[in-house]
Amino acid sequence: MSPVNSMRLELDRAAQDWDETGWPRPEVVVVSGSGLAVELGDPEGRETPLGQWLPFETHRIEGHPLKVQLLTTEQGRPVLYLKGRLHSYQGYDAHQTVFTIRLAATLGARTLVMTNAAGGLRGDQRPGDLILIRDQMNLTGLNPLRGELPSEWGPRFPDMTEPYSGRLRALALETAERLGMVLGQGNYAALAGPSYETPAEVTMLRRNGADMVGMSTALEIIAARHMGVECLALSVITNLAPGIGSGGVSHEEVLQEGKEASDRLQRLLTELLAQQRLTQPD
Ligand code: HPA
């Protein structure tokens, strides 16, 4: 059996396992980035290790707790919360990296809200800034749509004119303003990592219109858009990239800055999830 065919069976099996838990199927999926696994509500016992849903082995990395929660908002909306994600630099292939997104879409989630830690590529950015992703550059050299995918998942050549929903960005901006938070917007460049960027790479990214750089998100967004899911993503600037700020970059710094931004992120995400308009266009 081809790897893609076996993945389709594995996905169907995971969806069946989900239904056997008796948990409701999610309308929204939320994915948290490095050091950004904020609390979004009491799962009331509906929590499992992420590995339980994956047909392959996972490795842990610091700052990524890898848990799955099913939350219900006050309005009764079921939300699948993936606390921690898989990154291709850990050795996962592109299909494995997006397995949870495909599972969420298979279960019926139509909206994806994602966070990530990113390096700032602009001199006017500061660690702790929250930035909405307007558009992305997938520079990982990977694509989760490679291979013969089941046609019911989506088109062979999906349109990527609006990877991040303008409607959801407007909603996020309005929500942030109500909470008195400043929210910028920018283009996210995704590199495979895990080495951080060299100053020459930073210059190239900046000159070509990227505002922040990270090692996640882009493949998940491609898979989500392919399956017709509307996407919103927020970067937390955890450090300035080499040549933009002074000094180097460390994973500890990334996690620490992520923690400090967590409080604002938690308030913003909680408020967003409470809004009916998140899943219902006017
Ligand atoms: N580069 C790539 N990924 C990152 C960075 C960075 O500077 N900061 C947090 N994730």
Side-chain angles (χ1 to χ4, degrees), residues 59-72:
H59 341 274
R60 272 203 54 122
I61 53 169
E62 201 193 333
H64 301 269
L66 295 182
K67 283 193 199 127
V68 172
Q69 295 182 341
L70 191 280
L71 305 169
T72 312

mmCIF file with all atom_site columns, all heavy atoms in Angstrom, residues 59-72:
data_model
loop_
_atom_site.group_PDB
_atom_site.id
_atom_site.type_symbol
_atom_site.label_atom_id
_atom_site.label_alt_id
_atom_site.label_comp_id
_atom_site.label_asym_id
_atom_site.label_entity_id
_atom_site.label_seq_id
_atom_site.pdbx_PDB_ins_code
_atom_site.Cartn_x
_atom_site.Cartn_y
_atom_site.Cartn_z
_atom_site.occupancy
_atom_site.B_iso_or_equiv
_atom_site.pdbx_formal_charge
_atom_site.auth_seq_id
_atom_site.auth_comp_id
_atom_site.auth_asym_id
_atom_site.auth_atom_id
_atom_site.pdbx_PDB_model_num
ATOM 1   N N   . HIS A 1 59 ? 8.592   12.353 19.504 1.00 0.00 ? 59 HIS A N   1
ATOM 2   C CA  . HIS A 1 59 ? 9.694   12.691 20.417 1.00 0.00 ? 59 HIS A CA  1
ATOM 3   C C   . HIS A 1 59 ? 9.332   14.001 21.085 1.00 0.00 ? 59 HIS A C   1
ATOM 4   O O   . HIS A 1 59 ? 8.751   14.880 20.475 1.00 0.00 ? 59 HIS A O   1
ATOM 5   C CB  . HIS A 1 59 ? 11.020  12.900 19.668 1.00 0.00 ? 59 HIS A CB  1
ATOM 6   C CG  . HIS A 1 59 ? 11.048  12.309 18.307 1.00 0.00 ? 59 HIS A CG  1
ATOM 7   N ND1 . HIS A 1 59 ? 11.389  10.997 18.092 1.00 0.00 ? 59 HIS A ND1 1
ATOM 8   C CD2 . HIS A 1 59 ? 10.753  12.824 17.085 1.00 0.00 ? 59 HIS A CD2 1
ATOM 9   C CE1 . HIS A 1 59 ? 11.308  10.743 16.799 1.00 0.00 ? 59 HIS A CE1 1
ATOM 10  N NE2 . HIS A 1 59 ? 10.927  11.823 16.164 1.00 0.00 ? 59 HIS A NE2 1
ATOM 11  N N   . ARG A 1 60 ? 9.736   14.120 22.320 1.00 0.00 ? 60 ARG A N   1
ATOM 12  C CA  . ARG A 1 60 ? 9.445   15.366 23.069 1.00 0.00 ? 60 ARG A CA  1
ATOM 13  C C   . ARG A 1 60 ? 10.548  16.378 22.849 1.00 0.00 ? 60 ARG A C   1
ATOM 14  O O   . ARG A 1 60 ? 11.700  16.024 22.725 1.00 0.00 ? 60 ARG A O   1
ATOM 15  C CB  . ARG A 1 60 ? 9.435   15.036 24.564 1.00 0.00 ? 60 ARG A CB  1
ATOM 16  C CG  . ARG A 1 60 ? 8.097   14.588 25.081 1.00 0.00 ? 60 ARG A CG  1
ATOM 17  C CD  . ARG A 1 60 ? 8.078   14.857 26.570 1.00 0.00 ? 60 ARG A CD  1
ATOM 18  N NE  . ARG A 1 60 ? 8.413   16.266 26.808 1.00 0.00 ? 60 ARG A NE  1
ATOM 19  C CZ  . ARG A 1 60 ? 7.648   17.118 27.436 1.00 0.00 ? 60 ARG A CZ  1
ATOM 20  N NH1 . ARG A 1 60 ? 6.503   16.710 27.934 1.00 0.00 ? 60 ARG A NH1 1
ATOM 21  N NH2 . ARG A 1 60 ? 7.995   18.375 27.628 1.00 0.00 ? 60 ARG A NH2 1
ATOM 22  N N   . ILE A 1 61 ? 10.188  17.660 22.808 1.00 0.00 ? 61 ILE A N   1
ATOM 23  C CA  . ILE A 1 61 ? 11.216  18.691 22.919 1.00 0.00 ? 61 ILE A CA  1
ATOM 24  C C   . ILE A 1 61 ? 10.756  19.701 23.959 1.00 0.00 ? 61 ILE A C   1
ATOM 25  O O   . ILE A 1 61 ? 9.560   19.871 24.164 1.00 0.00 ? 61 ILE A O   1
ATOM 26  C CB  . ILE A 1 61 ? 11.541  19.417 21.589 1.00 0.00 ? 61 ILE A CB  1
ATOM 27  C CG1 . ILE A 1 61 ? 10.282  19.961 20.932 1.00 0.00 ? 61 ILE A CG1 1
ATOM 28  C CG2 . ILE A 1 61 ? 12.305  18.550 20.648 1.00 0.00 ? 61 ILE A CG2 1
ATOM 29  C CD1 . ILE A 1 61 ? 10.597  20.891 19.785 1.00 0.00 ? 61 ILE A CD1 1
ATOM 30  N N   . GLU A 1 62 ? 11.729  20.337 24.578 1.00 0.00 ? 62 GLU A N   1
ATOM 31  C CA  . GLU A 1 62 ? 11.404  21.257 25.667 1.00 0.00 ? 62 GLU A CA  1
ATOM 32  C C   . GLU A 1 62 ? 10.485  22.375 25.175 1.00 0.00 ? 62 GLU A C   1
ATOM 33  O O   . GLU A 1 62 ? 10.693  22.921 24.090 1.00 0.00 ? 62 GLU A O   1
ATOM 34  C CB  . GLU A 1 62 ? 12.695  21.870 26.222 1.00 0.00 ? 62 GLU A CB  1
ATOM 35  C CG  . GLU A 1 62 ? 12.508  22.403 27.614 1.00 0.00 ? 62 GLU A CG  1
ATOM 36  C CD  . GLU A 1 62 ? 13.670  23.278 28.020 1.00 0.00 ? 62 GLU A CD  1
ATOM 37  O OE1 . GLU A 1 62 ? 14.772  23.065 27.498 1.00 0.00 ? 62 GLU A OE1 1
ATOM 38  O OE2 . GLU A 1 62 ? 13.446  24.165 28.859 1.00 0.00 ? 62 GLU A OE2 1
ATOM 39  N N   . GLY A 1 63 ? 9.475   22.677 25.970 1.00 0.00 ? 63 GLY A N   1
ATOM 40  C CA  . GLY A 1 63 ? 8.559   23.756 25.603 1.00 0.00 ? 63 GLY A CA  1
ATOM 41  C C   . GLY A 1 63 ? 7.373   23.264 24.796 1.00 0.00 ? 63 GLY A C   1
ATOM 42  O O   . GLY A 1 63 ? 6.514   24.050 24.426 1.00 0.00 ? 63 GLY A O   1
ATOM 43  N N   . HIS A 1 64 ? 7.331   21.976 24.509 1.00 0.00 ? 64 HIS A N   1
ATOM 44  C CA  . HIS A 1 64 ? 6.232   21.426 23.713 1.00 0.00 ? 64 HIS A CA  1
ATOM 45  C C   . HIS A 1 64 ? 5.585   20.282 24.492 1.00 0.00 ? 64 HIS A C   1
ATOM 46  O O   . HIS A 1 64 ? 6.056   19.158 24.436 1.00 0.00 ? 64 HIS A O   1
ATOM 47  C CB  . HIS A 1 64 ? 6.751   20.907 22.368 1.00 0.00 ? 64 HIS A CB  1
ATOM 48  C CG  . HIS A 1 64 ? 7.428   21.960 21.557 1.00 0.00 ? 64 HIS A CG  1
ATOM 49  N ND1 . HIS A 1 64 ? 6.766   22.729 20.652 1.00 0.00 ? 64 HIS A ND1 1
ATOM 50  C CD2 . HIS A 1 64 ? 8.714   22.381 21.548 1.00 0.00 ? 64 HIS A CD2 1
ATOM 51  C CE1 . HIS A 1 64 ? 7.619   23.582 20.098 1.00 0.00 ? 64 HIS A CE1 1
ATOM 52  N NE2 . HIS A 1 64 ? 8.793   23.395 20.630 1.00 0.00 ? 64 HIS A NE2 1
ATOM 53  N N   . PRO A 1 65 ? 4.527   20.554 25.240 1.00 0.00 ? 65 PRO A N   1
ATOM 54  C CA  . PRO A 1 65 ? 3.965   19.523 26.110 1.00 0.00 ? 65 PRO A CA  1
ATOM 55  C C   . PRO A 1 65 ? 3.236   18.393 25.371 1.00 0.00 ? 65 PRO A C   1
ATOM 56  O O   . PRO A 1 65 ? 3.082   17.313 25.911 1.00 0.00 ? 65 PRO A O   1
ATOM 57  C CB  . PRO A 1 65 ? 2.999   20.302 27.006 1.00 0.00 ? 65 PRO A CB  1
ATOM 58  C CG  . PRO A 1 65 ? 2.676   21.558 26.271 1.00 0.00 ? 65 PRO A CG  1
ATOM 59  C CD  . PRO A 1 65 ? 3.844   21.848 25.377 1.00 0.00 ? 65 PRO A CD  1
ATOM 60  N N   . LEU A 1 66 ? 2.784   18.630 24.140 1.00 0.00 ? 66 LEU A N   1
ATOM 61  C CA  . LEU A 1 66 ? 2.132   17.600 23.331 1.00 0.00 ? 66 LEU A CA  1
ATOM 62  C C   . LEU A 1 66 ? 0.932   16.949 24.003 1.00 0.00 ? 66 LEU A C   1
ATOM 63  O O   . LEU A 1 66 ? 0.951   15.763 24.343 1.00 0.00 ? 66 LEU A O   1
ATOM 64  C CB  . LEU A 1 66 ? 3.156   16.538 22.901 1.00 0.00 ? 66 LEU A CB  1
ATOM 65  C CG  . LEU A 1 66 ? 4.257   17.022 21.978 1.00 0.00 ? 66 LEU A CG  1
ATOM 66  C CD1 . LEU A 1 66 ? 5.188   15.876 21.583 1.00 0.00 ? 66 LEU A CD1 1
ATOM 67  C CD2 . LEU A 1 66 ? 3.701   17.658 20.706 1.00 0.00 ? 66 LEU A CD2 1
ATOM 68  N N   . LYS A 1 67 ? -0.092  17.729 24.205 1.00 0.00 ? 67 LYS A N   1
ATOM 69  C CA  . LYS A 1 67 ? -1.350  17.213 24.752 1.00 0.00 ? 67 LYS A CA  1
ATOM 70  C C   . LYS A 1 67 ? -2.505  17.621 23.856 1.00 0.00 ? 67 LYS A C   1
ATOM 71  O O   . LYS A 1 67 ? -2.417  18.619 23.125 1.00 0.00 ? 67 LYS A O   1
ATOM 72  C CB  . LYS A 1 67 ? -1.601  17.811 26.129 1.00 0.00 ? 67 LYS A CB  1
ATOM 73  C CG  . LYS A 1 67 ? -0.772  17.178 27.204 1.00 0.00 ? 67 LYS A CG  1
ATOM 74  C CD  . LYS A 1 67 ? -1.313  17.588 28.568 1.00 0.00 ? 67 LYS A CD  1
ATOM 75  C CE  . LYS A 1 67 ? -0.267  17.380 29.635 1.00 0.00 ? 67 LYS A CE  1
ATOM 76  N NZ  . LYS A 1 67 ? -0.041  18.557 30.434 1.00 0.00 ? 67 LYS A NZ  1
ATOM 77  N N   . VAL A 1 68 ? -3.570  16.872 23.960 1.00 0.00 ? 68 VAL A N   1
ATOM 78  C CA  . VAL A 1 68 ? -4.797  17.205 23.230 1.00 0.00 ? 68 VAL A CA  1
ATOM 79  C C   . VAL A 1 68 ? -5.911  17.423 24.246 1.00 0.00 ? 68 VAL A C   1
ATOM 80  O O   . VAL A 1 68 ? -6.096  16.603 25.141 1.00 0.00 ? 68 VAL A O   1
ATOM 81  C CB  . VAL A 1 68 ? -5.200  16.028 22.315 1.00 0.00 ? 68 VAL A CB  1
ATOM 82  C CG1 . VAL A 1 68 ? -6.572  16.264 21.706 1.00 0.00 ? 68 VAL A CG1 1
ATOM 83  C CG2 . VAL A 1 68 ? -4.178  15.834 21.225 1.00 0.00 ? 68 VAL A CG2 1
ATOM 84  N N   . GLN A 1 69 ? -6.622  18.517 24.111 1.00 0.00 ? 69 GLN A N   1
ATOM 85  C CA  . GLN A 1 69 ? -7.784  18.768 24.980 1.00 0.00 ? 69 GLN A CA  1
ATOM 86  C C   . GLN A 1 69 ? -9.016  19.015 24.117 1.00 0.00 ? 69 GLN A C   1
ATOM 87  O O   . GLN A 1 69 ? -8.899  19.566 23.020 1.00 0.00 ? 69 GLN A O   1
ATOM 88  C CB  . GLN A 1 69 ? -7.560  20.024 25.829 1.00 0.00 ? 69 GLN A CB  1
ATOM 89  C CG  . GLN A 1 69 ? -6.431  19.903 26.822 1.00 0.00 ? 69 GLN A CG  1
ATOM 90  C CD  . GLN A 1 69 ? -6.276  21.161 27.677 1.00 0.00 ? 69 GLN A CD  1
ATOM 91  O OE1 . GLN A 1 69 ? -6.753  22.231 27.324 1.00 0.00 ? 69 GLN A OE1 1
ATOM 92  N NE2 . GLN A 1 69 ? -5.586  21.010 28.797 1.00 0.00 ? 69 GLN A NE2 1
ATOM 93  N N   . LEU A 1 70 ? -10.158 18.598 24.626 1.00 0.00 ? 70 LEU A N   1
ATOM 94  C CA  . LEU A 1 70 ? -11.401 19.009 23.988 1.00 0.00 ? 70 LEU A CA  1
ATOM 95  C C   . LEU A 1 70 ? -12.082 19.956 24.963 1.00 0.00 ? 70 LEU A C   1
ATOM 96  O O   . LEU A 1 70 ? -12.469 19.560 26.068 1.00 0.00 ? 70 LEU A O   1
ATOM 97  C CB  . LEU A 1 70 ? -12.287 17.788 23.671 1.00 0.00 ? 70 LEU A CB  1
ATOM 98  C CG  . LEU A 1 70 ? -13.511 17.985 22.769 1.00 0.00 ? 70 LEU A CG  1
ATOM 99  C CD1 . LEU A 1 70 ? -14.708 18.573 23.483 1.00 0.00 ? 70 LEU A CD1 1
ATOM 100 C CD2 . LEU A 1 70 ? -13.220 18.824 21.517 1.00 0.00 ? 70 LEU A CD2 1
ATOM 101 N N   . LEU A 1 71 ? -12.169 21.218 24.572 1.00 0.00 ? 71 LEU A N   1
ATOM 102 C CA  . LEU A 1 71 ? -12.772 22.239 25.432 1.00 0.00 ? 71 LEU A CA  1
ATOM 103 C C   . LEU A 1 71 ? -14.144 22.602 24.897 1.00 0.00 ? 71 LEU A C   1
ATOM 104 O O   . LEU A 1 71 ? -14.399 22.467 23.699 1.00 0.00 ? 71 LEU A O   1
ATOM 105 C CB  . LEU A 1 71 ? -11.910 23.507 25.415 1.00 0.00 ? 71 LEU A CB  1
ATOM 106 C CG  . LEU A 1 71 ? -10.446 23.340 25.783 1.00 0.00 ? 71 LEU A CG  1
ATOM 107 C CD1 . LEU A 1 71 ? -9.676  24.618 25.458 1.00 0.00 ? 71 LEU A CD1 1
ATOM 108 C CD2 . LEU A 1 71 ? -10.311 23.026 27.266 1.00 0.00 ? 71 LEU A CD2 1
ATOM 109 N N   . THR A 1 72 ? -14.999 23.057 25.785 1.00 0.00 ? 72 THR A N   1
ATOM 110 C CA  . THR A 1 72 ? -16.281 23.583 25.322 1.00 0.00 ? 72 THR A CA  1
ATOM 111 C C   . THR A 1 72 ? -16.361 25.024 25.790 1.00 0.00 ? 72 THR A C   1
ATOM 112 O O   . THR A 1 72 ? -16.222 25.293 26.980 1.00 0.00 ? 72 THR A O   1
ATOM 113 C CB  . THR A 1 72 ? -17.450 22.767 25.921 1.00 0.00 ? 72 THR A CB  1
ATOM 114 O OG1 . THR A 1 72 ? -17.150 21.390 25.722 1.00 0.00 ? 72 THR A OG1 1
ATOM 115 C CG2 . THR A 1 72 ? -18.755 23.085 25.221 1.00 0.00 ? 72 THR A CG2 1
#
